[in-house]
Structure formats: C-alpha cells, structure tokens
Amino acid sequence: MWINLDKKNDRPLMRQLYEQIKHLILNGQLAPAEKLPSTRQLATDLGISRSTVLEAYNQLIAEGYLIGNHGSGTVVANGIDVFSIPPDTATKKCAATMIATKVPPSAVIDFQSGVIDSSRFPLSAWKKAYQRSLDQIPEAAFRYHPSAGVMRLRQTIAAYLRRTRGLTCHPDQIMIVSGSTQGLALIVALFQDQRQAVLIEDPTHPGLRQIIERAKLHLIGIPVDDQGLLTDSLNAHPNPAFVYTTPSHQYPLGGILPIQRRQKLIQYAIANDTYLLEDDYDSEFRFEGQPVSSLYELSPDRVIYLGTFSKILTPAIRLGYLILPDQLIEPYLELKKYSDVHTEALTQYALAEFIESGGLEKHIWRMKKIYAKKRQHLIAELSRCYPAEFEIKGHAAGLHMVVRFNGVVFAPPLIDRINARQVRVYPIENYVFGNTTPYGSDILLGYAHLTFAEITTGITRFCTALREPGS
C-alpha cells in the first residue's frame, strides 16, 4: 500500500492518510476484503503516531470504507463501486474538493429535516433477527393479534426504556402503532369529541398541524424560546384537549425544556384536567451526554409518550409506540381496533428479537458517531464558505440544526436564488404557526441523510448564492 504524506502540508496528517487510503479503495487498488497493515505497523512505516493512523482508520470505518474486526485486523469493505480518480491529483486536492466531484453538478442537495441515513441500515443483523424470530414464533402468531400489539415487543420496549432512559412503565401501557404519524392521529381522534382546542409549540412541524386540523380541532400556538415551550403563556388558554410538546429537543429550534418549566407544565395539566403529548422523536441522537430525561417520568397519569423506530432504523419499518395513562387505554384500543385492527405483527416479532439481541443499541451507538461527524462537517463547511458571523442554535442533538446568519434575511428572492443553485434550505418562518417573533435570519439544515460530499457541495452552492448581488 503506497502512501506519501507531506508533513509540511497545512492539512493534518490524519486527513492526508484518510484521503489517500480512500482514493486507493475507490480506484480499486485496494480490493474488497484486502487486509490493511496494523495501526502500529503503518505508523512505524510512515513515521507518524499510532493515534493518527487509528483516527484515520476509524473515520474510514465510520464511513463504510473499512471494516474493523477485533483480533483479525482491518479490511476493505465489500460493495464499494470502483471509479477512476487521476492519481496525480489525488494527493493534491483538498478533501472538500475531492469529495465534491462525486456529486453530479445537476443534483439537488436537499437539507430537509427528519430524514435519516437509510444507507446505514444494519441489513445483515436485521435479516438474522427476522429469521430467528420466524424460527421461534408459534403458529398462533400468524393469526390476528390484540390491537395493543405483540406482547413480547411491548415487554421488550419497556425493558429498553428502563435501561436506556430510566423510564418506568408497565408493558400493558405500551401501545404499538404504525409509526408516530398514526400514533398522533389516534391521540387526536381520542380527544376529537371532547374539547375543541389543542395547544402546540410555535414554531413546530407543519405535518403535525395538518393532522390536528384535519380532525377539526382548533389549534393555538404557544411561543417557544431557546429553552423550549414558554409555559407562562399556557394560563391564557384553559382546558385544552391536550398540549403537544417536544421537551427533549424542541422541534425545530432545538431547546431542552428545563425542570422548572416541566414542573409548571405538569401543574398546568393537573389544574386544567388535561393531558400532555410528549413527542420524543429523536432523543437517542444526543451528541453531548446522555439522552434527556422524559417528561413522562414526572407525571405518568398526565403524559402520553410517543416514540418511534422510523427515525432510528428506517422509515420502511412503520413501527412506533405510545405509553398511555391507564384511564386512556380502553378508549384508545377501541379506536385502534377500528383503525387497522392491529399493526403488522411479524415485524413486531423481528424488532423484539433485534432489540433483545443488542442490535438496536449497537446501531444507535454507531449512528450517533456518524451523525455527530456529519454535524461537525456541516459546521466546518459553513465556517469555510461563509466567513461572516453565524450562530448555531439549539443543543448538539438530532438530525438537523438551526443556523442564524446575522445580517441575512431569507426573503423569497434569496430563497429563489438558493433554489436556482440546486439547493433546498428551509427558513424557520415556514414552521411558524401564530403571531410569534419572525425568524427571518434563521434556516433549518437537515444533514443526517446527506453524504459528506453532498454537504460540502450543498454548502458551497448555498454560500455562493448568499454572496450574489442582492443577497
């Protein structure tokens, strides 16, 4: 394996090593399953520190180029298409330029939020779990199931939440749904005939508003700040059907609701005899510290907890779950029964097996590392392309970030210029419901589903549009 590092180059040695190994793989000079030198051996050969080699290997493993096998070394991954990169330029181009050439110039780079990197789905582990589950389940599993869902999965989820979130509930309280969208729709239907108002965070996801409005319930937006829902604003709106909130990572601004506001929210729910719908849509992907504690822990009788596996594994697996207070279980089951009888059962058995085997937590751990690197890459590309001042809002978590570009207003003419550059970005104004303060300088950038190449290309185009006359 021929590697030539330039110690006088301003690019870090790790980055040079990473690029050159990747180039050898993409050019076919390193074949699938070919074993690489040990980190110690390569460090000695190149006269650099072992930690530098280890960091380069880890980056290539995280991006799927290499596979690290404990005890048997590091090998080139299978399934990588080979294409030509001129060897005389491979060691001269910077990483951003090299990667960007892989993105077709006409391709639209869409910084949409809420889209995961489905290419990283652990297909092999999932197939094994699915096969094991089919081998184990009884003949009765091929009949109709209870509307609440497969008990094995409900028990598995209860144990998983207790282990990873410190959240304690009984499996009988867990209701399996066909994704969080169905879960939300069923909760809306549960309260549809009782009261006419629903309080929601503002800004929030437009899809949420559409689900509630289709049920003919009246929406009232409650403003948020950098710590989430402004609970002092709730008292002006008594007796709602329920309050929708994302306390662990406010969507889209990213704030974490502090304990003082959580307590006020619980007090409001008790005083108004109402419920709080806690949408915990991406708490697994927190890059600083452990996942935030749930609102449900503070008041299990007043909080309806909504979770999903679509944002963790793949949207192709339409599985989510609700945790309901005891008094809501019976009316909910009546609704679910006449909605779709029950959520598809064979995938429920497979998911239970996948979680019990440790596959889910292993996948989350891997994806947290990848998403954190993509987030860092996005910030680095913004710093490279946009020398003026900008601010990252919200906490380091989730599948998107909100960026404030000081002195820039994302009015329609500017958005049109950005779109003309084959880039899609999303002004926060698109998520505002009521009369809250406009966020004219803020945009939402989803990055989880994009490759490093697409992030580089997209931000380059975006910043070019910002520098054009009239911006």
Side-chain angles (χ1 to χ4, degrees):
M1 185 170 68
W2 185 82
I3 297 290
N4 181 27
L5 301 182
D6 182 359
K7 295 183 180 180
K8 296 181 180 180
N9 195 296
D10 58 358
R11 280 184 299 135
L13 293 174
M14 171 269 170
R15 196 71 194 178
Q16 294 183 48
L17 179 59
Y18 156 83
E19 291 164 11
Q20 292 186 44
I21 294 176
K22 180 170 66 174
H23 164 73
L24 293 172
I25 295 171
L26 292 175
N27 258 3
Q29 293 169 269
L30 284 176
E34 183 171 343
K35 188 174 182 180
L36 272 66
S38 69
T39 55
R40 192 181 306 278
Q41 179 64 51
L42 188 55
T44 300
D45 292 345
L46 297 176
I48 59 177
S49 70
R50 185 188 176 201
S51 63
T52 298
V53 179
L54 187 61
E55 187 178 359
Y57 275 21
N58 286 340
Q59 178 69 23
L60 291 161
I61 290 171
E63 295 182 23
Y65 290 96
L66 301 178
I67 297 174
N69 296 313
H70 183 70
S72 59
T74 303
V75 299
V76 177
N78 292 314
I80 301 174
D81 293 335
V82 173
F83 61 93
S84 178
I85 300 176
D88 59 333
T89 62
T91 59
K92 296 179 182 179
K93 289 187 178 181
C94 71
T97 304
M98 282 184 63
I99 297 173
T101 60
K102 302 175 200 171
V103 181
S106 61
V108 174
I109 309 297
D110 193 341
F111 287 94
Q112 181 182 357
S113 69
V115 185
I116 68 170
D117 186 349
S118 297
S119 69
R120 310 280 183 167
F121 178 69
L123 183 59
S124 177
W126 177 258
K127 287 194 293 187
K128 291 176 182 177
Y130 207 107
Q131 185 60 56
R132 287 195 303 269
S133 70
L134 289 176
D135 292 341
Q136 298 167 6
I137 59 177
E139 185 272 336
F142 295 92
R143 304 171 188 168
Y144 287 105
H145 282 70
S147 297
V150 172
M151 179 51 75
R152 179 185 172 188
L153 178 58
R154 296 159 70 194
Q155 292 170 335
T156 300
I157 291 173
Y160 166 76
L161 292 173
R162 184 168 55 251
R163 182 173 63 254
T164 62
R165 299 295 308 279
L167 190 158
T168 301
C169 65
H170 194 278
D172 287 343
Q173 296 176 272
I174 295 177
M175 306 289 130
I176 306 301
V177 293
S178 302
S180 58
T181 300
Q182 187 193 48
L184 176 60
L186 287 169
I187 293 303
V188 170
L190 191 64
F191 293 99
Q192 188 171 0
D193 297 330
Q194 299 181 23
R195 294 166 179 165
Q196 293 303 305
V198 174
L199 307 186
I200 64 171
E201 296 170 337
D202 190 7
T204 194
H205 198 294
L208 162 74
R209 303 201 300 264
Q210 293 174 13
I211 291 172
I212 298 175
E213 287 173 337
R214 285 176 180 272
K216 307 301 182 184
L217 289 170
H218 176 54
L219 280 174
I220 298 175
I222 305 298
V224 304
D225 63 10
D226 60 1
Q227 291 187 309
L229 189 70
L230 289 170
T231 49
D232 288 341
S233 301
L234 292 169
N235 292 329
H237 309 284
N239 304 316
F242 62 88
V243 180
Y244 172 89
T245 181
T246 51
S248 295
H249 188 226
Q250 198 281 325
Y251 186 91
L253 298 185
I256 296 175
L257 198 67
I259 182 59
Q260 296 83 353
R261 295 192 192 182
R262 291 176 184 236
Q263 291 174 337
K264 287 183 179 180
L265 191 52
I266 297 295
Q267 292 164 4
Y268 171 86
I270 294 171
N272 288 270
D273 189 24
T274 192
Y275 293 92
L276 309 173
L277 177 54
E278 177 182 12
D279 189 348
D280 199 12
Y281 65 99
D282 70 354
S283 64
E284 287 83 4
F285 301 122
R286 176 167 163 77
F287 311 130
E288 297 174 354
Q290 298 299 310
V292 178
S293 297
S294 68
L295 185 65
Y296 178 87
E297 298 174 24
L298 299 178
S299 185
D301 290 336
R302 287 291 164 186
V303 178
I304 302 166
Y305 183 95
L306 175 60
T308 180
F309 295 101
S310 297
K311 292 289 189 292
I312 303 174
L313 288 169
T314 169
I317 297 177
R318 301 305 302 153
L319 288 179
Y321 58 95
L322 293 162
I323 305 176
L324 296 180
D326 291 337
Q327 62 271 25
L328 296 182
I329 293 176
E330 186 174 344
Y332 164 84
L333 289 176
E334 188 75 7
L335 278 173
K336 174 67 172 173
K337 177 181 178 181
Y338 292 104
S339 170
D340 61 358
V341 182
H342 64 78
T343 297
E344 189 271 310
L346 295 184
T347 305
Q348 293 187 54
Y349 283 104
L351 180 59
E353 176 68 27
F354 186 72
I355 297 173
E356 291 166 9
S357 68
L360 181 66
E361 289 173 69
K362 181 179 179 180
H363 179 67
I364 290 171
W365 177 82
R366 180 188 181 214
M367 296 312 298
K368 278 179 66 174
K369 292 178 64 176
I370 293 172
Y371 290 152
K373 289 179 185 298
K374 289 186 178 185
R375 175 186 171 88
Q376 293 166 1
H377 184 66
L378 174 55
I379 294 172
E381 290 303 300
L382 285 169
S383 299
R384 177 181 67 84
C385 292
Y386 189 76
E389 187 176 355
F390 64 88
E391 174 188 355
I392 307 297
K393 304 187 69 175
H395 290 260
L399 310 176
H400 72 273
M401 68 171 65
V402 173
V403 185
R404 170 167 292 175
F405 291 85
N406 296 324
V408 177
V409 176
F410 289 97
L414 176 54
I415 295 299
D416 289 344
R417 285 195 294 274
I418 295 170
N419 290 343
R421 290 277 177 179
Q422 300 294 291
V423 178
R424 301 291 180 267
V425 297
Y426 299 86
I428 290 299
E429 288 182 343
N430 293 359
Y431 301 85
V432 174
F433 168 66
N435 295 318
T436 56
T437 303
Y439 298 85
S441 298
D442 296 2
I443 59 168
L444 183 151
L445 297 174
Y447 54 82
H449 61 296
L450 299 175
T451 65
F452 290 88
E454 290 168 333
I455 291 172
T456 295
T457 302
I459 293 301
T460 299
R461 296 176 183 173
F462 168 74
C463 292
T464 299
L466 290 188
R467 290 192 295 266
E468 289 177 341
S471 298

